[in-house]
mmCIF file of all heavy atoms in Angstrom:
data_model
loop_
_atom_site.group_PDB
_atom_site.id
_atom_site.type_symbol
_atom_site.label_atom_id
_atom_site.label_comp_id
_atom_site.label_asym_id
_atom_site.label_seq_id
_atom_site.Cartn_x
_atom_site.Cartn_y
_atom_site.Cartn_z
ATOM 1 N N LEU A 38 -67.561 -53.558 12.740
ATOM 2 C CA LEU A 38 -67.877 -52.619 13.819
ATOM 3 C C LEU A 38 -68.930 -53.196 14.751
ATOM 4 O O LEU A 38 -68.884 -53.004 15.969
ATOM 5 C CB LEU A 38 -68.352 -51.287 13.235
ATOM 6 C CG LEU A 38 -68.870 -50.231 14.214
ATOM 7 C CD1 LEU A 38 -68.496 -48.831 13.738
ATOM 8 C CD2 LEU A 38 -70.388 -50.292 14.380
ATOM 9 N N SER A 39 -69.892 -53.934 14.191
ATOM 10 C CA SER A 39 -70.997 -54.457 14.997
ATOM 11 C C SER A 39 -70.547 -55.481 16.026
ATOM 12 O O SER A 39 -71.251 -55.724 17.009
ATOM 13 C CB SER A 39 -72.073 -55.067 14.085
ATOM 14 O OG SER A 39 -72.691 -54.071 13.297
ATOM 15 N N PHE A 40 -69.373 -56.108 15.819
ATOM 16 C CA PHE A 40 -68.856 -57.022 16.836
ATOM 17 C C PHE A 40 -68.614 -56.289 18.153
ATOM 18 O O PHE A 40 -68.803 -56.856 19.225
ATOM 19 C CB PHE A 40 -67.550 -57.662 16.368
ATOM 20 C CG PHE A 40 -67.724 -58.830 15.450
ATOM 21 C CD1 PHE A 40 -67.246 -58.788 14.150
ATOM 22 C CD2 PHE A 40 -68.367 -59.984 15.880
ATOM 23 C CE1 PHE A 40 -67.405 -59.862 13.297
ATOM 24 C CE2 PHE A 40 -68.523 -61.077 15.035
ATOM 25 C CZ PHE A 40 -68.042 -61.013 13.732
ATOM 26 N N GLY A 41 -68.181 -55.046 18.073
ATOM 27 C CA GLY A 41 -67.884 -54.306 19.293
ATOM 28 C C GLY A 41 -69.111 -53.846 20.044
ATOM 29 O O GLY A 41 -69.046 -53.630 21.261
ATOM 30 N N ILE A 42 -70.246 -53.697 19.323
ATOM 31 C CA ILE A 42 -71.468 -53.240 19.979
ATOM 32 C C ILE A 42 -72.237 -54.404 20.590
ATOM 33 O O ILE A 42 -72.555 -54.414 21.778
ATOM 34 C CB ILE A 42 -72.375 -52.492 18.977
ATOM 35 C CG1 ILE A 42 -71.645 -51.308 18.357
ATOM 36 C CG2 ILE A 42 -73.642 -52.006 19.674
ATOM 37 C CD1 ILE A 42 -72.437 -50.608 17.270
ATOM 38 N N ALA A 43 -72.562 -55.392 19.753
ATOM 39 C CA ALA A 43 -73.436 -56.487 20.196
ATOM 40 C C ALA A 43 -72.675 -57.715 20.657
ATOM 41 O O ALA A 43 -73.193 -58.507 21.449
ATOM 42 C CB ALA A 43 -74.393 -56.871 19.054
ATOM 43 N N GLY A 44 -71.446 -57.901 20.187
ATOM 44 C CA GLY A 44 -70.709 -59.123 20.472
ATOM 45 C C GLY A 44 -70.507 -59.455 21.938
ATOM 46 O O GLY A 44 -70.668 -60.606 22.357
ATOM 47 N N PRO A 45 -70.155 -58.488 22.797
ATOM 48 C CA PRO A 45 -69.845 -58.830 24.191
ATOM 49 C C PRO A 45 -71.044 -59.206 25.052
ATOM 50 O O PRO A 45 -70.868 -59.523 26.237
ATOM 51 C CB PRO A 45 -69.200 -57.537 24.729
ATOM 52 C CG PRO A 45 -68.736 -56.796 23.527
ATOM 53 C CD PRO A 45 -69.746 -57.109 22.467
ATOM 54 N N SER A 46 -72.260 -59.177 24.531
ATOM 55 C CA SER A 46 -73.446 -59.365 25.377
ATOM 56 C C SER A 46 -73.446 -60.700 26.114
ATOM 57 O O SER A 46 -73.974 -60.789 27.225
ATOM 58 C CB SER A 46 -74.721 -59.234 24.539
ATOM 59 O OG SER A 46 -74.765 -60.219 23.519
ATOM 60 N N LEU A 47 -72.860 -61.755 25.523
ATOM 61 C CA LEU A 47 -72.854 -63.073 26.173
ATOM 62 C C LEU A 47 -71.584 -63.350 26.973
ATOM 63 O O LEU A 47 -71.573 -64.271 27.807
ATOM 64 C CB LEU A 47 -73.036 -64.178 25.123
ATOM 65 C CG LEU A 47 -74.365 -64.203 24.370
ATOM 66 C CD1 LEU A 47 -74.364 -65.311 23.334
ATOM 67 C CD2 LEU A 47 -75.527 -64.386 25.335
ATOM 68 N N ILE A 48 -70.522 -62.608 26.732
ATOM 69 C CA ILE A 48 -69.243 -62.921 27.384
ATOM 70 C C ILE A 48 -68.897 -61.967 28.520
ATOM 71 O O ILE A 48 -67.917 -62.196 29.231
ATOM 72 C CB ILE A 48 -68.088 -62.931 26.361
ATOM 73 C CG1 ILE A 48 -67.875 -61.544 25.757
ATOM 74 C CG2 ILE A 48 -68.341 -63.961 25.270
ATOM 75 C CD1 ILE A 48 -66.620 -61.446 24.891
ATOM 76 N N LEU A 49 -69.689 -60.918 28.709
ATOM 77 C CA LEU A 49 -69.383 -59.991 29.795
ATOM 78 C C LEU A 49 -69.376 -60.652 31.172
ATOM 79 O O LEU A 49 -68.536 -60.312 32.014
ATOM 80 C CB LEU A 49 -70.351 -58.809 29.777
ATOM 81 C CG LEU A 49 -70.018 -57.671 28.802
ATOM 82 C CD1 LEU A 49 -71.018 -56.536 28.972
ATOM 83 C CD2 LEU A 49 -68.599 -57.155 29.007
ATOM 84 N N PRO A 50 -70.305 -61.601 31.472
ATOM 85 C CA PRO A 50 -70.221 -62.272 32.782
ATOM 86 C C PRO A 50 -68.885 -62.989 32.992
ATOM 87 O O PRO A 50 -68.320 -62.959 34.093
ATOM 88 C CB PRO A 50 -71.396 -63.255 32.747
ATOM 89 C CG PRO A 50 -72.386 -62.625 31.817
ATOM 90 C CD PRO A 50 -71.537 -61.975 30.748
ATOM 91 N N ASP A 51 -68.358 -63.630 31.926
ATOM 92 C CA ASP A 51 -67.053 -64.292 32.039
ATOM 93 C C ASP A 51 -65.950 -63.256 32.268
ATOM 94 O O ASP A 51 -65.041 -63.477 33.069
ATOM 95 C CB ASP A 51 -66.753 -65.082 30.762
ATOM 96 C CG ASP A 51 -67.696 -66.254 30.573
ATOM 97 O OD1 ASP A 51 -68.241 -66.738 31.584
ATOM 98 O OD2 ASP A 51 -67.905 -66.667 29.417
ATOM 99 N N ALA A 52 -66.039 -62.155 31.554
ATOM 100 C CA ALA A 52 -65.034 -61.102 31.729
ATOM 101 C C ALA A 52 -65.071 -60.546 33.146
ATOM 102 O O ALA A 52 -64.025 -60.358 33.778
ATOM 103 C CB ALA A 52 -65.268 -59.988 30.712
ATOM 104 N N ALA A 53 -66.270 -60.316 33.659
ATOM 105 C CA ALA A 53 -66.401 -59.777 35.015
ATOM 106 C C ALA A 53 -65.820 -60.744 36.042
ATOM 107 O O ALA A 53 -65.122 -60.338 36.977
ATOM 108 C CB ALA A 53 -67.868 -59.484 35.316
ATOM 109 N N ARG A 54 -66.113 -62.021 35.861
ATOM 110 C CA ARG A 54 -65.614 -63.031 36.809
ATOM 111 C C ARG A 54 -64.092 -63.093 36.791
ATOM 112 O O ARG A 54 -63.440 -63.092 37.844
ATOM 113 C CB ARG A 54 -66.198 -64.398 36.450
ATOM 114 C CG ARG A 54 -65.780 -65.506 37.438
ATOM 115 C CD ARG A 54 -66.267 -66.871 37.015
ATOM 116 N NE ARG A 54 -65.693 -67.268 35.733
ATOM 117 C CZ ARG A 54 -66.384 -67.367 34.605
ATOM 118 N NH1 ARG A 54 -67.677 -67.059 34.583
ATOM 119 N NH2 ARG A 54 -65.791 -67.747 33.481
ATOM 120 N N ASP A 55 -63.492 -63.148 35.599
ATOM 121 C CA ASP A 55 -62.041 -63.265 35.510
ATOM 122 C C ASP A 55 -61.330 -61.991 35.975
ATOM 123 O O ASP A 55 -60.207 -62.053 36.491
ATOM 124 C CB ASP A 55 -61.632 -63.576 34.073
ATOM 125 C CG ASP A 55 -62.008 -64.997 33.663
ATOM 126 O OD1 ASP A 55 -62.451 -65.768 34.541
ATOM 127 O OD2 ASP A 55 -61.885 -65.321 32.464
ATOM 128 N N LEU A 56 -61.974 -60.857 35.773
ATOM 129 C CA LEU A 56 -61.370 -59.592 36.191
ATOM 130 C C LEU A 56 -61.605 -59.285 37.659
ATOM 131 O O LEU A 56 -60.979 -58.380 38.220
ATOM 132 C CB LEU A 56 -61.919 -58.439 35.339
ATOM 133 C CG LEU A 56 -61.551 -58.450 33.846
ATOM 134 C CD1 LEU A 56 -62.348 -57.384 33.105
ATOM 135 C CD2 LEU A 56 -60.051 -58.219 33.660
ATOM 136 N N GLY A 57 -62.539 -60.015 38.276
ATOM 137 C CA GLY A 57 -62.858 -59.773 39.675
ATOM 138 C C GLY A 57 -63.630 -58.497 39.900
ATOM 139 O O GLY A 57 -63.459 -57.839 40.931
ATOM 140 N N VAL A 58 -64.497 -58.142 38.936
ATOM 141 C CA VAL A 58 -65.301 -56.922 39.056
ATOM 142 C C VAL A 58 -66.769 -57.289 38.865
ATOM 143 O O VAL A 58 -67.121 -58.399 38.478
ATOM 144 C CB VAL A 58 -64.882 -55.872 38.003
ATOM 145 C CG1 VAL A 58 -63.426 -55.475 38.198
ATOM 146 C CG2 VAL A 58 -65.113 -56.383 36.584
ATOM 147 N N SER A 59 -67.641 -56.328 39.152
ATOM 148 C CA SER A 59 -69.068 -56.562 38.951
ATOM 149 C C SER A 59 -69.410 -56.519 37.470
ATOM 150 O O SER A 59 -68.641 -56.006 36.646
ATOM 151 C CB SER A 59 -69.879 -55.489 39.694
ATOM 152 O OG SER A 59 -69.683 -54.221 39.093
ATOM 153 N N LEU A 60 -70.588 -57.045 37.135
ATOM 154 C CA LEU A 60 -71.038 -57.009 35.751
ATOM 155 C C LEU A 60 -71.210 -55.566 35.278
ATOM 156 O O LEU A 60 -70.892 -55.224 34.137
ATOM 157 C CB LEU A 60 -72.357 -57.771 35.600
ATOM 158 C CG LEU A 60 -72.933 -57.860 34.185
ATOM 159 C CD1 LEU A 60 -71.957 -58.534 33.239
ATOM 160 C CD2 LEU A 60 -74.263 -58.608 34.196
ATOM 161 N N GLY A 61 -71.695 -54.699 36.173
ATOM 162 C CA GLY A 61 -71.835 -53.294 35.814
ATOM 163 C C GLY A 61 -70.504 -52.655 35.469
ATOM 164 O O GLY A 61 -70.409 -51.861 34.528
ATOM 165 N N ALA A 62 -69.466 -53.011 36.228
ATOM 166 C CA ALA A 62 -68.136 -52.463 35.931
ATOM 167 C C ALA A 62 -67.609 -52.998 34.602
ATOM 168 O O ALA A 62 -67.006 -52.254 33.811
ATOM 169 C CB ALA A 62 -67.169 -52.807 37.056
ATOM 170 N N ALA A 63 -67.843 -54.289 34.329
ATOM 171 C CA ALA A 63 -67.388 -54.873 33.067
ATOM 172 C C ALA A 63 -68.082 -54.237 31.869
ATOM 173 O O ALA A 63 -67.526 -54.191 30.762
ATOM 174 C CB ALA A 63 -67.624 -56.377 33.070
ATOM 175 N N THR A 64 -69.294 -53.723 32.083
ATOM 176 C CA THR A 64 -70.033 -53.075 30.993
ATOM 177 C C THR A 64 -69.303 -51.843 30.469
ATOM 178 O O THR A 64 -69.548 -51.399 29.340
ATOM 179 C CB THR A 64 -71.447 -52.687 31.475
ATOM 180 O OG1 THR A 64 -72.107 -53.857 31.952
ATOM 181 C CG2 THR A 64 -72.276 -52.092 30.353
ATOM 182 N N TRP A 65 -68.376 -51.301 31.253
ATOM 183 C CA TRP A 65 -67.607 -50.150 30.788
ATOM 184 C C TRP A 65 -66.782 -50.483 29.545
ATOM 185 O O TRP A 65 -66.425 -49.592 28.770
ATOM 186 C CB TRP A 65 -66.696 -49.635 31.892
ATOM 187 C CG TRP A 65 -67.388 -48.668 32.799
ATOM 188 C CD1 TRP A 65 -67.874 -48.916 34.054
ATOM 189 C CD2 TRP A 65 -67.684 -47.293 32.516
ATOM 190 N NE1 TRP A 65 -68.455 -47.784 34.570
ATOM 191 C CE2 TRP A 65 -68.357 -46.776 33.650
ATOM 192 C CE3 TRP A 65 -67.453 -46.469 31.435
ATOM 193 C CZ2 TRP A 65 -68.791 -45.460 33.707
ATOM 194 C CZ3 TRP A 65 -67.885 -45.156 31.488
ATOM 195 C CH2 TRP A 65 -68.545 -44.661 32.611
ATOM 196 N N ILE A 66 -66.473 -51.763 29.338
ATOM 197 C CA ILE A 66 -65.756 -52.157 28.119
ATOM 198 C C ILE A 66 -66.594 -51.805 26.886
ATOM 199 O O ILE A 66 -66.106 -51.253 25.897
ATOM 200 C CB ILE A 66 -65.445 -53.665 28.141
ATOM 201 C CG1 ILE A 66 -64.535 -54.004 29.328
ATOM 202 C CG2 ILE A 66 -64.811 -54.107 26.834
ATOM 203 C CD1 ILE A 66 -64.358 -55.495 29.562
ATOM 204 N N VAL A 67 -67.899 -52.124 26.978
ATOM 205 C CA VAL A 67 -68.809 -51.837 25.871
ATOM 206 C C VAL A 67 -69.110 -50.342 25.800
ATOM 207 O O VAL A 67 -69.222 -49.767 24.714
ATOM 208 C CB VAL A 67 -70.109 -52.647 26.024
ATOM 209 C CG1 VAL A 67 -71.012 -52.457 24.814
ATOM 210 C CG2 VAL A 67 -69.801 -54.120 26.223
#
Side-chain angles (χ1 to χ4, degrees):
L38 174 145
S39 294
F40 279 117
I42 302 175
S46 61
L47 296 178
I48 64 172
L49 278 184
D51 293 335
R54 183 185 62 250
D55 289 352
L56 294 171
V58 299
S59 68
L60 182 59
T64 303
W65 274 103
I66 298 171
V67 185

